[in-house]
Amino acid sequence: MLSTAHVHELVNASHYHQPPGRDPIPRILDAGRESIELVTGGRGWVLHERGWVEVTPGTMVWQARGDQTIGRSDWSDPYRCLAVNVVVDPDSVRRVPRLTRWADLEEVRWFTREAVRWAMDDAIDRGSVLAWIYGRLLFQASLSVRQQQASALPTPLRDAQDTIDTRYAEPLRLAELARRVGWSPAHLHAVFRAQLGTSPHQYLIQRRLRAARELLATTRNPVGDIAIACGFADAAAFCRTFKQAMRVTPAEYRRRQAA
């Protein structure tokens, strides 16, 4: 689990605009500092693994000790970025890959405006601002990693996952799922195990339980109705499966969420 306990202070958060017709002067991060550059426009390049890598809108460049900030820019279309600098533990290392992507550029622009706005507001607790800005960037980087991992999976396996994710409330069978993606049931089961560490049936149950947890936490619907809505045969089967997985009953889980 990723943690922000190593982060101690927000130094600054600004929307940097590289001047046209020249390259930036890169800096190398010292121990005890992290810098995140979220590209909002234009084009730039960062030195990464012994070569220059292009960064475009939505790219997050996560710099820790020894890393170099963006070092080249398109002279006619210079890059712009949200630059966030924080103080961290001296022995801190990057928690996420150096280069990730925030796919929704509307969100990128909104977040940049809000991050700069609140970073400049001295009336807001600095710790709260730090937690929100750094936590959101960390979340988006982690989400990008998950998306990259998913895109690396075989297409039939991704199709099987998508089918389960959207049709989990239906009585899906392994044979039907395999037929939909063009694999045999045995092959689909084997690849699920090898790539995801679980079986199609277990993945389906976990998806149903996640949907049930959301409904328990956000509605007052009867447990029996939630069981049926999430694909379980009846309330008894749902309660048995839920307690086995969560170590509490659905009712107790709901009480804890409400508390």
Side-chain angles (χ1 to χ4, degrees), residues 155-192:
T155 299
L157 181 56
R158 294 202 309 272
D159 291 344
Q161 281 186 294
D162 290 343
T163 298
I164 292 174
D165 287 338
T166 56
R167 297 178 54 192
Y168 60 86
E170 302 176 24
L172 292 174
R173 298 289 184 267
L174 178 61
E176 177 191 353
L177 198 59
R179 186 169 56 253
R180 286 180 61 88
V181 302
W183 280 354
S184 70
H187 186 60
L188 177 59
H189 190 279
V191 175
F192 241 90

Side-chain angles (χ1 to χ4, degrees), residues 100-174:
T100 53
R101 285 200 62 79
W102 190 332
D104 190 328
L105 297 184
E106 284 297 323
E107 281 190 354
V108 167
R109 287 187 279 269
W110 175 86
F111 176 75
T112 297
R113 290 193 299 269
E114 292 298 294
V116 174
R117 172 191 175 194
W118 294 117
M120 300 297 177
D121 192 335
D122 295 332
I124 302 297
D125 175 69
R126 300 297 290 173
S128 300
V129 176
L130 168 63
W132 179 67
I133 294 176
Y134 190 90
R136 183 63 189 272
L137 290 168
L138 188 63
F139 171 79
Q140 290 298 147
S142 303
L143 185 61
S144 175
V145 169
R146 189 176 76 169
Q147 292 168 342
Q148 290 172 9
Q149 292 172 341
S151 65
L153 297 174
T155 299
L157 181 56
R158 294 202 309 272
D159 291 344
Q161 281 186 294
D162 290 343
T163 298
I164 292 174
D165 287 338
T166 56
R167 297 178 54 192
Y168 60 86
E170 302 176 24
L172 292 174
R173 298 289 184 267
L174 178 61

Side-chain angles (χ1 to χ4, degrees), residues 11 15 24 42 44 57 62 69 108 122 129 134 143 150 175 193 204 215 227 240 250 257:
V11 178
H15 194 195
W62 207 283
T69 57
V108 167
D122 295 332
V129 176
Y134 190 90
L143 185 61
R193 280 287 188 190
L204 172 61
L215 290 174
R240 184 169 56 251
Q257 295 301 309

Side-chain angles (χ1 to χ4, degrees), residues 3-9 29-34 63-65 86-95 130 134:
S3 169
T4 60
H6 68 296
V7 186
H8 303 299
E9 180 186 346
L29 271 287
D30 296 325
R33 290 295 180 95
E34 279 187 11
Q63 328 280 6
R65 179 180 55 192
V86 298
V87 176
V88 298
D89 292 335
D91 59 349
S92 177
V93 296
R94 277 187 283 106
R95 264 59 175 177
L130 168 63
Y134 190 90

Side-chain angles (χ1 to χ4, degrees), residues 188-204:
L188 177 59
H189 190 279
V191 175
F192 241 90
R193 280 287 188 190
Q195 297 279 352
L196 303 176
T198 188
S199 69
H201 178 70
Q202 290 168 333
Y203 186 89
L204 172 61

Side-chain angles (χ1 to χ4, degrees), residues 55-78:
V55 292
T56 55
T59 301
M60 284 186 285
V61 189
W62 207 283
Q63 328 280 6
R65 179 180 55 192
D67 291 332
Q68 180 176 293
T69 57
I70 296 174
R72 289 172 53 191
S73 179
D74 186 321
W75 285 21
S76 60
D77 186 18

